Amino acid sequence: MSRPAVCNRRGALTALAMLAIAGCGGSSDGAPHWNYDNEGPEHWADLDTDFATCRAGHAQSPIDLPETAETQPADHIDIDYRPVSAATLINNGHAVQVNVPANSGNRIIVDGASFALTQYHFHLPSEHTVAGSGTAMELHLVHTDHTGRFAVLAVLLRAQDAPTALSAVLANAPAKPGTTRTVGTIDPRALLPDDLAQFRYEGSLTTPPCTEGVAWIVLRQPGAVSTADVERYRTLFPHSNRPTQPRHDRPIILVGN
Ligand SMILES: [Zn+2]
């Protein structure tokens, strides 16, 4: 996932203000620069002491998910999504991101706790893999609870010829970093596949500062993205995936519908 966490280094920005800041990985606000190329993922920990967890952490994301994980009949998350009428589309310099207003009512329930949807964004190619195989892109729906803890619902995206529900966003994505655009009504429900079986594990942000304690929910069934949208995204961000990280001894649960 990606979030403007580096913007918070100066202190008391509200979550809303953080979401509104564009291109916060750049040098204009004094935050350390990071990217996927010459200062790529293996160097993130060298850029700033705040990024030390990117190397020292033992519960990092993304990871390779095992096809044969144990299926559990209980403990799936509940997804409570509805249309959003005032979303903002932004090129934040690392990804195309849709910021969702705090009062939109979109949320997921994870182990009894409510996490509000704050934004969703994309990676190319996918960050998570299943049995070693990735997909064209990955969608991260980022949620926070009242304590600031993160839960990310991830959908692997397979390329297909026809346009998809994502086209309205991806085809209108601003090409220039730091640029925002308002979008019409979007419905996050349209972004999910029919089968909501989900891998669950504890991991981290996949961008600096690689903070741990993130609840990951990766849907087993991929969603769809059009080939044209993938190619356009590639012109904006040629590659934006952190490589898979060691699983160590973390449990991974495959939860049925
Ligand atoms: Zn992400």
Side-chain angles (χ1 to χ4, degrees):
M1 64 172 284
S2 164
R3 73 164 176 128
V6 288
C7 301
N8 203 25
R9 299 171 75 245
R10 288 177 182 170
L13 288 171
T14 66
L16 210 56
M18 288 169 65
L19 288 169
I21 291 172
C24 58
S27 55
S28 60
D29 65 352
H33 183 76
W34 61 269
N35 61 34
Y36 293 96
D37 296 308
N38 54 317
E39 302 294 348
E42 65 272 30
H43 299 295
W44 287 346
D46 302 322
L47 300 176
D48 192 288
T49 52
D50 287 352
F51 298 172
T53 306
C54 298
R55 180 173 293 138
H58 282 76
Q60 291 287 292
S61 294
I63 59 171
D64 181 48
L65 299 160
E67 214 162 22
T68 55
E70 193 80 11
T71 300
Q72 305 280 329
D75 295 325
H76 63 86
I77 66 157
D78 291 319
I79 300 171
D80 182 14
Y81 283 171
R82 60 201 68 197
V84 180
S85 59
T88 307
L89 182 56
I90 181 170
N91 177 332
N92 68 15
H94 300 297
V96 169
Q97 180 169 311
V98 175
N99 290 334
V100 176
N103 60 356
S104 80
N106 282 276
R107 61 180 191 149
I108 57 176
I109 314 294
V110 182
D111 299 329
S114 178
F115 288 75
L117 177 65
T118 58
Q119 51 105 330
Y120 60 88
H121 63 266
F122 303 88
H123 297 268
L124 179 152
S126 72
E127 297 206 294
H128 288 90
T129 55
V130 178
S133 295
T135 57
M137 291 180 68
E138 182 167 334
L139 165 66
H140 286 166
L141 295 132
V142 181
H143 310 73
T144 54
D145 73 1
H146 70 283
T147 67
R149 186 165 175 262
F150 287 90
V152 186
L153 177 58
V155 184
L156 301 175
L157 299 173
R158 228 177 240 155
Q160 65 172 37
D161 288 341
T164 74
L166 292 171
S167 296
V169 165
L170 292 177
N172 290 309
K176 193 171 168 223
T179 312
T180 61
R181 194 169 283 170
T182 52
V183 285
T185 300
I186 52 161
D187 189 348
R189 293 173 297 190
L191 309 181
L192 305 177
D194 296 333
D195 183 347
L196 298 178
Q198 51 210 232
F199 295 102
R200 292 189 53 188
Y201 77 97
E202 289 290 321
S204 73
L205 306 182
T206 68
T207 56
C210 307
T211 310
E212 297 189 339
V214 177
W216 277 94
I217 306 101
V218 182
L219 298 186
R220 181 180 59 179
Q221 182 186 347
V225 60
S226 79
T227 304
D229 290 337
V230 173
E231 290 313 313
R232 174 148 195 277
Y233 201 91
R234 199 188 309 281
T235 66
L236 304 183
F237 303 102
H239 58 98
S240 56
N241 66 309
R242 186 188 196 195
T244 53
Q245 304 295 303
R247 175 178 165 182
H248 295 294
D249 56 357
R250 282 176 284 175
I252 300 169
I253 302 170
L254 176 56
V255 188
N257 280 308

